[in-house]
Amino acid sequence: MTLAALRTQVAPRAKRAQEVFLGLLFATAGLIVARTVAGIAADNGLGLGWQLGLGAAGYALAIGLLANLGNADPLTTLAEATGCLAALAYGLVRTAAALLVLLGVLFAAVAGASGHAVAT
């Protein structure tokens, strides 16, 4: 396989990995700003609705600012960053569910092996 053919195969995967990494990086920055803004709102005695609203606005504005600094479309960047964050959360929930099922099967196998044989 030539180097040019290898680049042709790897280029889409590398681009997708870069997009996911940047999306998660932007989402992390947005979450840090959102948590900071919500904390300041809580310290000033504002209600939960204000905290959530200001946190969401801080999240969107932080990602929009980073997108403008990176010379990208802010709305597309916000959608991609939130999508990457949602995909990460979905993957973590699926992994946790699979581990719970695995632990349940393991517990059933150990409990079944240590129990008495059923008379037939």
Side-chain angles (χ1 to χ4, degrees):
M1 176 176 287
T2 65
L3 186 58
L6 185 62
R7 279 189 200 140
T8 305
Q9 285 183 345
V10 173
R13 290 185 219 149
K15 184 178 180 190
R16 178 68 184 143
Q18 181 183 10
E19 289 174 358
V20 169
F21 176 75
L22 286 176
L24 288 175
L25 191 66
F26 281 16
T28 302
L31 288 175
I32 291 170
V33 171
R35 179 63 189 110
T36 303
V37 170
I40 292 171
D43 290 343
N44 287 326
L46 296 176
L48 183 62
W50 278 99
Q51 293 174 27
L52 291 173
L54 289 173
Y59 175 80
L61 288 174
I63 293 176
L65 175 68
L66 289 172
N68 280 333
L69 289 176
N71 208 13
D73 181 32
L75 291 177
T76 304
T77 306
L78 178 63
E80 288 175 0
T82 306
C84 288
L85 194 62
L88 178 68
Y90 178 70
L92 290 175
V93 167
R94 284 189 58 156
T95 302
L99 285 175
L100 283 175
V101 169
L102 183 64
L103 285 174
V105 169
L106 182 65
F107 177 73
V110 169
S114 65
H116 299 290
V118 178
T120 58

